[in-house]
Amino acid sequence: METKIVIRSQFGHEIMAVNFAKAFNFDVVIVPNKDEKKAYDEEAEKIFQNMSFFYDRISIVPFEEKDHPAWDIIAELKAGKLENSLWTKFASSKLTPANTDGLPTYPGMNKENNTLFIPQKLVSDGECGVTAEQQSLPLFVFDFLKGKKGLVLGQHFSKVNDIEKVKALAKDFNLYVPGLSENPEVLGIRGVQHKAYYNMYAKLNASVGIAGTHTWILLTMFPEIPQIILFNNHGVERWKAIEKAYQANGYNIHCLGFDETTDLKLLAQEIENIFQNLLN
C-alpha cells in the first residue's frame, strides 16, 4: 500500500481522504486534474490554502512529477472498491486544526440548541452516482421541524441563482442562513474556504439532512455532534458501514437511505422519531 493519499480537489470527499490519511499516519499530496502547468499550479495552491486547515501534512506535487504514486482513496470510493472495514479506522480519527484564530463568528445563531438543516441539494458535483435532484427530498418530509428554534441552513447554493429559493426556505422554516444577515462573505457556502464555517459548526447541537460536505466536516471534526444523515441508496458512499463504525465508537450517528421506491411519509416519521431522541 502507498503511504501517501492523493487529493485532486477540495470538497467533502477530500476532507474524508485527509481524515483517512491522519488515521493511517500518511501524508496527503495534492495533484489537480490539470494538464497545463499554470492552471495546475494555480489550482494546487487554491486546494492547499483550503485543505491545509485540516491537517499539517499536506503538500503540493510539482507539475513535472504529477504521476507521483499515491493512494487515490477517493477514486476507490467512487468505484465502489473501498473496503467497508476501513471505516472503523476512519471513525477512530479526528481532525484538529492547529489554528482557528480570526475566523468568522456567528453571533446571530442561538446561544444554544442549534441544528444544522440540509433538506435538499441545490448544487452537486455529480460525482456520487446521483444528481442533486435525486439526493434531495420533498420539503414536507421535514415539516416536523417547522417552529423549532435554532435551525441553521447547511446546504450549498448559488448566491445568485438560488438566493430567492433560499430566502423562501428560510422564511418557511425560520432558518438562520450563514452570510445572509452577517458575514456576507460566507453566503452560499460553495466556493468559500471550509475554515470560515468552523465557529458555526462548533455551535451546533445536532444535524439533520442530506449528506454532503458538511457531513464530512462534522464526522471528522465534530463527531460528538449527533447527526441524521440522509442519502440516496444509489450513491457511491457506504453510509450504513459508516454509521456502524461511528456508533461502535459511541457516537450518535444515524444514516437513513431512500430512493424512488421509498414511502416518504414513513421516512418522515422515522426521521422525526430519531430526531426526538438525538439529544436525549
Side-chain angles (χ1 to χ4, degrees), residues 55-92:
Y55 192 45
D56 59 2
R57 292 170 60 183
I58 298 180
S59 61
I60 297 172
V61 173
F63 178 77
E64 295 76 15
E65 302 172 23
K66 66 177 185 171
D67 293 329
H68 188 88
W71 182 13
D72 196 338
I73 198 168
I74 297 173
E76 283 192 21
L77 174 79
K78 292 178 179 179
K81 297 179 180 179
L82 196 62
E83 295 179 14
N84 281 349
S85 60
L86 291 178
W87 294 111
T88 299
K89 187 84 170 177
F90 183 89
S92 68

Side-chain angles (χ1 to χ4, degrees), residues 15 19 28 33 39 53 62 105 109 116 119 126 128 137 153 164 171 185 201-202 221 228 243 246:
I15 297 169
N19 192 57
V28 174
N33 287 317
F53 171 71
T105 59
M109 289 174 65
L116 197 69
C128 298
L137 285 167
L153 186 67
E164 294 307 319
K171 183 177 180 181
E185 70 278 9
Y201 286 110
M221 298 180 76
I228 298 176
E243 173 192 74
Y246 273 89

